[in-house]
Amino acid sequence: MGLPTESDKSYSICYSTPGHIRAVNHLYGVTTPVLDTARVLELGAGEGYTLYSQALMYPNSRFVGVELESENSLSSQQALLGSAPDNLALFSLSLDDLLCQDIGEYDYIIIHGSFSWLSNDIRDQLLAFCQQHLSPQGCIAIEWECHPGAKINEIIRDAVQIHSSLANDIETQIASSRAMLSWLKLNGVTGEAAFLKSSDTLSDLLISHSLLQTPNEYRYLLEFAGVIETFGLAYVGDLLPWTELAAHYDEKIQHLHNVLSPLNNKILIQQYLDFAVNRGTRFSLLTHSDNAQTVSVLPDLTKLKDLRWAGSFRRQSLQGRILNTLTANSETPVSTDDIATLALLDALGDGWPSSLTFEQLVYNVRQPDLEDKAWREDISQSLSALFLKGLPDLHFSLDKSVYDTCQAAPAQWVAATRGKYAINRWHETVELNDEELSAMSAPTLVVTAQNAQILFSLVKKGMVAAAPKAWRAFLQQLIGLFRLKKPGPLFSR
């Protein structure tokens, strides 16, 4: 994957990273390899900027990105490799060339982007290939379009084929296909269909393959699970685990799902939920069949206490009054009057960009008039409720983050940047303004009265890290130069 283009949103979050995959596997009862020495293969890597960011984070790990040669990413990949660390490799290959390679063994194999639009037959070949190159405790994460929601893609395909049937050659067929896709977008009949969102970035060859050459029948999760079993793989869960819990949706869906869905049948529980919400896209986590016995039916919310948590949450104010509404880098508002939830979000914001364990959260937000057991339960319930919301700014990991382990002194910049965009170490892509870009162009981070406010903004965007003592000295300098609008400490470490 790459950084956004000028027309994209100024914020995005990448969940398809080894750290997130490892944490989600833990919630399903599966142990995956540690990140520090992991071997990572990304199929659909695009220009490779997301992998580039991760390669900087884990210098002892190995990252390999592959994009289909039809997607014309080779020149961008080569330009990026000119400044990339030695543990990153990027390739532009045909499927035939990829499938005949002995690529070695990988701990995390991520299949998405252009590779998610392949026909079922080719995807099945790809999954069989990946299973052969997956380490014993490794995980495959694959993005795919599923029924019932993917039926909208069949309408798109039918419309494209009808319109392109008037053409006499392949070039005109492709042009007609793109014209129909644009028309469907403008018309709005097909809503938020995933293929329409991606079609502008796909090559002519992939458009032809997906819409003109193959029937590309979509599958239900039940069918998908049966297919992967034949390859020696087992279904673990979804990259967005809250989407597999009925409580993520409204109360009516949760109630009806609990009434009808079969107990303890992992796949059927999810299939019924897919019917209820008309789900059209999944990002499935797979492991070797030998590991299937440890996989839980649903994400285990009691395991949330095992994770580390982070978020750039900040209270909002109105006419000098502090509100019970917080926002973070995505600008998604979170409003609540619950004391425990507010205290938890405040603590995460104060600790940003570092992560906090559950015990650290309890310690930092405990109310003196409540018993420890009662307060711990309140924080646990608040954490579960926030998790179920699927907030884009609520980050979690099983291991310490780069911000937690950083030994830099003094404070330093940490980001993979391209133009006005940067990827922080929580895999958020944020937009930088001209003043922020100018500040980050300096080889060393120097705090002055003139740039203090800019540096506060860059800290919120996750652009700065340091060893604990250096972090404290950095913040003391900032606080001394900048008048805080919020009472109390802005950050803690």
Side-chain angles (χ1 to χ4, degrees), residues 12 82 134 158-159 170 192 242 247 257 309-310 312 338 350 353 358 365 395 400 450 468 473 480:
S12 64
L134 186 67
D158 291 345
I170 186 62
E192 295 295 310
W242 47 87
H257 184 67
W309 299 85
S312 58
D338 182 74
D350 289 344
F358 178 77
V365 305
H395 307 293
K400 288 185 176 182
Q450 290 72 35

Side-chain angles (χ1 to χ4, degrees), residues 64 69 119 193-194 206 209 230 240 273 290 313 322 325 341 397 446:
V64 176
E69 65 177 1
S119 65
L206 205 52
H209 170 80
T230 65
L240 307 181
L273 189 57
D290 292 344
F313 298 100
I322 302 298
T325 298
T341 303
S397 64
V446 179

Side-chain angles (χ1 to χ4, degrees), residues 235-347:
Y235 182 79
V236 174
D238 200 85
L239 189 67
L240 307 181
W242 47 87
T243 63
E244 294 211 319
L245 296 165
H248 171 66
Y249 307 94
D250 61 46
E251 291 185 3
K252 180 180 179 181
I253 288 177
Q254 183 180 5
H255 173 71
L256 293 176
H257 184 67
N258 292 340
V259 168
L260 190 62
S261 65
L263 296 175
N264 297 321
N265 188 316
K266 182 177 179 67
I267 301 300
L268 282 182
I269 287 174
Q270 293 307 315
Q271 186 61 77
Y272 282 33
L273 189 57
D274 285 1
F275 286 136
V277 301
N278 195 35
R279 187 162 185 168
T281 302
R282 280 187 164 272
F283 213 135
S284 299
L285 305 180
L286 316 177
T287 187
H288 286 293
S289 297
D290 292 344
N291 304 324
Q293 65 275 11
T294 69
V295 179
S296 61
V297 174
L298 294 170
D300 185 353
L301 296 187
T302 65
K303 292 181 180 292
L304 296 179
K305 296 178 182 178
D306 301 336
L307 304 179
R308 303 182 67 94
W309 299 85
S312 58
F313 298 100
R314 296 288 181 269
R315 290 286 190 113
Q316 299 301 292
S317 62
L318 179 64
Q319 297 178 346
R321 183 170 61 92
I322 302 298
L323 304 177
N324 290 347
T325 298
L326 303 93
T327 61
N329 284 329
S330 74
E331 300 298 331
T332 302
V334 183
S335 297
T336 180
D337 292 324
D338 182 74
I339 295 174
T341 303
L342 286 171
L344 189 156
L345 292 172
D346 284 337

Side-chain angles (χ1 to χ4, degrees), residues 431-441 454 457-458 461:
E431 185 177 355
L432 305 177
N433 61 36
D434 291 341
E435 290 180 323
E436 291 166 343
L437 287 169
S438 177
M440 290 190 66
S441 66
I454 298 170
S457 177
L458 288 170
K461 293 179 179 180

Side-chain angles (χ1 to χ4, degrees), residues 26-27 300-309 356-359 362 376-377 379-381 383-384 398:
H26 178 75
L27 297 179
D300 185 353
L301 296 187
T302 65
K303 292 181 180 292
L304 296 179
K305 296 178 182 178
D306 301 336
L307 304 179
R308 303 182 67 94
W309 299 85
L356 298 174
T357 66
F358 178 77
E359 295 300 328
V362 171
R376 292 174 66 87
E377 183 60 28
I379 295 300
S380 178
Q381 290 179 3
L383 198 59
S384 296
L398 189 59

Side-chain angles (χ1 to χ4, degrees), residues 17-169:
T17 61
H20 184 79
I21 293 170
R22 174 168 157 80
V24 173
N25 268 276
H26 178 75
L27 297 179
Y28 286 99
V30 178
T31 300
T32 58
V34 297
L35 304 178
D36 288 341
T37 55
R39 298 158 295 179
V40 181
L41 173 64
E42 183 179 8
L43 303 179
E47 298 171 341
Y49 279 94
T50 301
L51 276 186
Y52 174 81
S53 171
Q54 295 170 55
L56 294 174
M57 292 171 60
Y58 302 105
N60 295 321
S61 297
R62 181 161 62 94
F63 296 86
V64 176
V66 177
E67 184 52 83
L68 295 172
E69 65 177 1
S70 63
E71 304 313 290
N72 301 315
S73 295
L74 180 59
S75 60
S76 298
Q77 290 178 343
Q78 291 176 336
L80 181 64
L81 287 174
S83 60
D86 293 338
N87 61 335
L88 173 66
L90 298 171
F91 300 94
S92 183
L93 300 172
S94 69
L95 271 170
D96 289 340
D97 287 341
L98 173 64
L99 296 177
C100 72
Q101 298 285 332
D102 182 5
I103 62 172
E105 192 173 79
Y106 289 88
D107 302 309
Y108 297 92
I109 301 178
I110 302 160
I111 308 170
H112 63 155
S114 59
F115 279 77
S116 65
W117 298 112
L118 302 174
S119 65
N120 284 337
D121 289 344
I122 296 178
R123 183 185 297 118
D124 292 347
Q125 294 178 49
L126 187 64
L127 279 172
F129 172 80
C130 290
Q131 189 273 343
Q132 295 170 5
H133 295 280
L134 186 67
S135 67
Q137 298 300 317
C139 178
I140 296 172
I142 178 169
E143 184 180 27
W144 58 290
E145 300 296 297
C146 64
H147 277 330
K151 289 185 180 296
I152 194 66
N153 289 336
E154 295 181 355
I155 297 175
I156 294 171
R157 185 183 62 207
D158 291 345
V160 165
Q161 290 185 355
I162 289 172
H163 189 58
S164 63
S165 66
L166 303 174
N168 296 319
D169 54 73

